[in-house]
Structure formats: structure tokens, C-alpha cells
Amino acid sequence: MNQTSEQDELLFCSEEDESADSPAGGSPWKVLVVDDDEEVHVLTRLVLRDLVFEGRPLQLLSARSGIQAREVLTSEPNIALVLLDVVMESDDAGLQLVKYIRRELHNDAVRIILRTGQPGHAPEQEVILKYDINDYKEKTELTLQKLLTAVVSSLRSYKYIEQVVQLNQELEIKVQQRTKELQKANAKLQRTVQALQEGEEAGKRIQFKLLPASDTHINGIDFAHILLPSEFMSGDFVDYFAIDDRYVGFYLADVSGHGVSSAFVTVYLKRFISNMLEQYRRGEEQSVLDPAAVLTALNCALLAENLGKHIAIFYAVIDRQNNQCRYINGGIFPWPLLIQHERAEFVESRGTPVGLFDFSQYQSAECHLAEAFQLYLFSDGVLEIMTEKTLEAKMAALHACVKAPVKDLQDLAGRLGISESMSLPDDLAMLAVTR
């Protein structure tokens, strides 16, 4: 016994010391001795009774048959080691107990050392291959030192398995806790997303209520529009209105970006031009009749507000008395298409979007309108859905769409392949002004 190494932390104490050391060192190692030979139990206790491994003594349990061993294994938890005889009430009672431990109790942690006095009944190679045991010893070769070595080795293995099991249990608890946290976070995220969607849907309803009615007749001029957002809300906007009995105003706008932030700017735009219209009707201001004055004032206002957005806008006023259209293009492309006298031409006019530069200057242009005409305005979203490879090809295809007489705006949209159900990379707006 004095030859035992300090590395194994293997100590021997008297029976009087065992009770004192056990609580300090931890719970005892439970070792079950299963053998029908009483002498084996006596000798095993004599050898192991004073063994202390890593500060913990041994608690020796006994069973005289495989049946008794099953009862002990069922009633006693955390048995670290079973010293098991093969031949007891039957020639293979020990081997059947191995199956019971591993397959029915599903106990893979307990270490099992087979001790047999009749190796012919259970050849070592066959047993090692077929049964989940950890060591095989013949009783004739199992000296005191070899028994101590086998027990200590088994207890060390069991300790490592216990640590792994404990770590797995702790990890499982942490995983369960983290899973619950993630489930709560996911539920909160879903509620947040739902609230955002509800907010966007409400915002869309409000924004679309600001739009004029489509297929509207104003002072002899017909207006229709299509507005398709790429998200819930649109950064594109259209409006048309009677200024008085003589003048009719309209515009198509495309705010930079898209989504909620751009949609808010369209509300600002609607309010801004409505204020100018109210001032005109009160006789305070006539800027609403002058497209250049409108864009100049709007440019200054946006820069002062510092919204971080700019607006491409085509604004026009039709004078019904002399059939003149005064307009200004602040960055809208593609060009509007004007169809009259059986000819279709782009109304080419370049200008700077409002809210971009403080040095921008705007100048209105004019064109004469025939008694019957069709004017179509587009946001750049229409170019995004066209399949032609180059910008020149897209403009040519857009012009080709109006070679045959256009019935109405829906007819033109159909020719361009535009539908309300399609997924869009950008907001899309179309405005038809006809007489």
C-alpha cells in the first residue's frame, strides 16, 4: 500500500477517520460487489475498506446474485463501479446484468469490471467484443495491488464521466434558458414588426387619402393616375387641382429614396402647394400660377427644413383661355410624352431637383395645347421595370407604346407591362392629362 503514488491521490485511513473525512472530502464513491462467493465479499472489503480516492472514501455495497444486483442498482443512485462475477445463479448471470445496466437502465456512466473464476464460461475476447464492460479480470490473477489499480482507474474514469455529464446538464440548462430568452425576444420582435407594419399600413391609408381621385374632370381637362409603391408607402406623388375657372394646375413628384421617410416628404409637398393655392384664392399671392416661382420657393423651403431629401418634380399650369401650358421640369425623367395632331413627342426640359442646391435657378417654359391632346408623365420607376438594356432603347420603347392610339392610362400601363400585383424595385407613378 505504501507504493501507491501521490498523483493518484490514493490514501488509506482507519475506520475511525473515515467518518470524519467523508463529509469534508465529499460523498463516498459507491462500489457494488456482485458475487455469490461470500469469501470474495470479505476479501474485497478487507482490501478496499480504507481506500480514499481524491478525498472521498468508498461505500461498499453487496449483492449475491444478478437479481439482487438489479434491486441495488435500481434503489441506489450514482454507483460508480460494479465488481461483477460472471457465473452466479446461472452461467451468464453477470453478462445478463451487464445488458440490463446498459440497455434497460441506460446507465453508460457506471464502470463495470468482470471478475471470473471460470474464464472458460466467458472467454475474454468474446466478452470484451460483445459486452459493454470496462475491464476483465480472472480472480486468480487479481492480486491486492492489481485490484487497487483497477478500482482507482475505474473511479478516475467515472469522475471524468461525471464531470462531462454535469457540464452537459449545465449546458442544457443554459441552452434552455437561452432558448426561452430567444423565444421571448423573437415574440417581442414579432410584435414590433407587426406594430411597424400596422403603422406603415395606416401611413399608406393616410397618404393615399391625400391623392386626388383618379379619372377626375376639372374645368374641361381629364386627369387619371397610377401610383404603385415599392414598399407600403410611396415616395412618388401626383396632384391636380382647379386654381380658378381659368387655370388648372398639376404635378408629378419623385422624392429621393423610397419608403416611410420619402412618403413623409410627399405630405410636406402636398401641404406646401396647397398653402400657395390658398394664398392665391385669398388674393394674397399669385406664385402658384408661375411654375418657376413654385419650384424656387419649394427649393428654399426644403433647404431650410434640412430634411435630407430632394424632390424631382414636374409642375405645370394650363391656361384654358389661350390653350397654353406653362411648365417646369425639376429633374423628372423620362420626359413627359405629349400626343397631339397625331404626333407623339417628348417634352424635353432639364432642371435641377428641388432641395438639392441653394444656387439652383428655375425658369418656366410654355407650349401650346391643341383642342385634343394627351400628356403622359412618368416617374423613373417606369424605367426600372422595362426590359430593354440601354436607356436609349427604353426611351424608344416608351415612345413606341403611343404610336397606336392610346385609349387611356390603363391601356398605356398594360402596354408597358405594369400591373398592381407586380413587385417593384422602385416606386412608380404615372399621370395622364387629356382633353
Side-chain angles (χ1 to χ4, degrees):
M1 294 182 186
N2 295 332
Q3 295 177 355
T4 305
S5 68
E6 293 181 356
Q7 292 179 342
D8 287 343
E9 300 180 56
L10 184 61
L11 303 174
F12 289 91
C13 62
S14 65
E15 292 184 6
E16 293 81 20
D17 295 333
E18 181 177 344
S19 60
D21 291 345
S22 179
S27 60
W29 302 100
K30 292 183 181 181
V31 177
L32 173 60
V33 181
V34 185
D35 203 299
D36 60 356
D37 187 345
E38 184 63 29
E39 186 178 348
V40 171
H41 289 273
V42 173
L43 291 175
T44 302
R45 285 184 176 275
L46 286 173
V47 173
L48 300 179
R49 66 179 181 177
D50 296 331
L51 175 61
V52 176
F53 175 64
E54 295 199 350
R56 298 166 60 183
L58 269 61
Q59 179 183 352
L60 296 175
L61 307 172
S62 295
R64 271 71 179 179
S65 67
I67 295 175
Q68 288 183 7
R70 294 185 184 208
E71 295 174 355
V72 175
L73 286 162
T74 303
S75 60
E76 289 285 344
N78 303 323
I79 293 177
L81 171 62
V82 177
L83 296 172
L84 177 60
D85 189 14
V86 176
V87 181
M88 292 180 287
E89 68 265 37
S90 64
D91 289 347
D92 63 347
L95 298 179
Q96 294 303 318
L97 183 61
V98 173
K99 290 183 179 179
Y100 174 78
I101 293 171
R102 300 305 194 200
R103 299 181 184 180
E104 296 188 35
L105 295 183
H106 302 289
N107 187 341
D108 296 320
V110 63
R111 304 293 84 191
I112 301 174
I113 298 177
L114 281 185
R115 297 192 300 179
T116 179
Q118 304 177 50
H121 286 279
E124 181 176 354
Q125 182 175 354
E126 180 180 346
V127 171
I128 288 292
L129 291 174
K130 290 186 177 181
Y131 296 89
D132 186 1
I133 63 172
N134 305 105
D135 205 348
Y136 183 102
K137 300 292 184 183
E138 294 184 21
K139 292 180 180 179
T140 56
E141 69 172 0
L142 196 57
T143 62
L144 181 148
Q145 186 59 51
K146 288 185 177 180
L147 176 59
L148 289 174
T149 301
V151 169
V152 170
S153 176
S154 297
L155 292 179
R156 180 175 288 110
S157 298
Y158 180 79
K159 180 193 71 171
Y160 293 146
I161 293 173
E162 270 191 324
Q163 291 173 346
V164 171
V165 170
Q166 184 178 359
L167 289 173
N168 285 339
Q169 290 173 344
E170 292 174 355
L171 179 60
E172 185 175 351
I173 292 173
K174 291 181 179 179
V175 169
Q176 291 174 351
Q177 292 174 343
R178 185 57 179 160
T179 299
K180 290 180 180 179
E181 292 173 359
L182 290 174
Q183 288 173 342
K184 290 181 181 179
N186 185 53
K188 184 178 180 180
L189 177 61
Q190 289 179 342
R191 290 193 297 269
T192 302
V193 171
Q194 183 178 359
L196 287 173
Q197 289 177 341
E198 291 173 353
E200 289 178 332
E201 289 172 355
K204 180 180 179 179
R205 289 193 295 270
I206 293 172
Q207 182 188 30
F208 274 59
K209 283 183 178 180
L210 297 176
L211 290 168
S214 192
D215 301 320
T216 298
H217 187 79
I218 302 176
N219 293 347
I221 309 295
D222 293 315
F223 292 91
H225 72 266
I226 293 174
L227 186 64
L228 302 176
S230 59
E231 298 180 2
F232 277 99
M233 302 177 70
S234 174
D236 290 354
F237 198 73
V238 298
D239 199 8
Y240 31 86
F241 43 87
I243 298 175
D244 56 22
D245 291 340
R246 177 177 176 180
Y247 297 103
V248 177
F250 61 92
Y251 62 86
L252 180 145
D254 182 356
V255 180
S256 58
H258 47 80
V260 176
S261 59
S262 297
F264 285 155
V265 179
T266 67
V267 176
Y268 177 91
L269 172 64
K270 169 79 174 184
R271 184 69 264 171
F272 183 88
I273 294 183
S274 295
N275 285 338
M276 297 187 75
L277 181 59
E278 291 172 6
Q279 290 174 353
Y280 173 82
R281 290 173 177 172
R282 292 197 300 264
E284 300 173 359
E285 180 72 52
Q286 293 196 346
S287 297
V288 73
L289 297 178
D290 183 357
V294 171
L295 264 64
T296 298
L298 181 58
N299 184 58
C300 293
L302 287 174
L303 290 172
E305 293 288 351
N306 194 26
L307 298 177
K309 294 283 186 180
H310 59 271
I311 307 173
I313 180 171
F314 184 95
Y315 180 88
V317 175
I318 296 177
D319 182 351
R320 295 173 59 247
Q321 182 173 310
N322 56 22
N323 286 330
Q324 288 294 114
C325 178
R326 298 188 69 193
Y327 63 90
I328 190 165
N329 188 347
I332 284 293
F333 189 83
W335 317 121
L337 261 173
L338 177 61
I339 306 170
Q340 57 183 3
H341 305 303
E342 298 183 353
R343 293 181 57 189
E345 295 180 341
F346 285 114
V347 181
E348 298 188 18
S349 177
R350 292 173 173 81
T352 307
V354 292
L356 200 55
F357 305 115
D358 58 2
F359 54 81
S360 295
Q361 295 183 350
Y362 300 96
Q363 184 173 359
S364 301
E366 290 189 2
C367 68
H368 180 78
L369 297 176
E371 287 298 324
F373 71 88
Q374 294 172 299
L375 177 64
Y376 296 103
L377 285 75
F378 315 89
S379 69
D380 60 1
V382 72
L383 299 175
E384 297 289 337
I385 58 97
M386 299 180 72
T387 58
E388 286 74 17
K389 300 298 183 182
T390 65
L391 181 60
E392 291 77 10
K394 291 182 179 183
M395 293 295 288
L398 191 61
H399 189 274
C401 284
V402 299
K403 284 188 176 179
V406 179
K407 180 181 178 181
D408 53 28
L409 187 59
Q410 294 293 336
D411 179 29
L412 179 57
R415 297 182 188 185
L416 293 170
I418 298 171
S419 67
E420 293 187 2
S421 61
M422 68 191 310
S423 177
L424 298 171
D426 192 9
D427 302 325
L428 189 154
M430 297 174 62
L431 173 61
V433 184
T434 62
R435 183 173 64 183

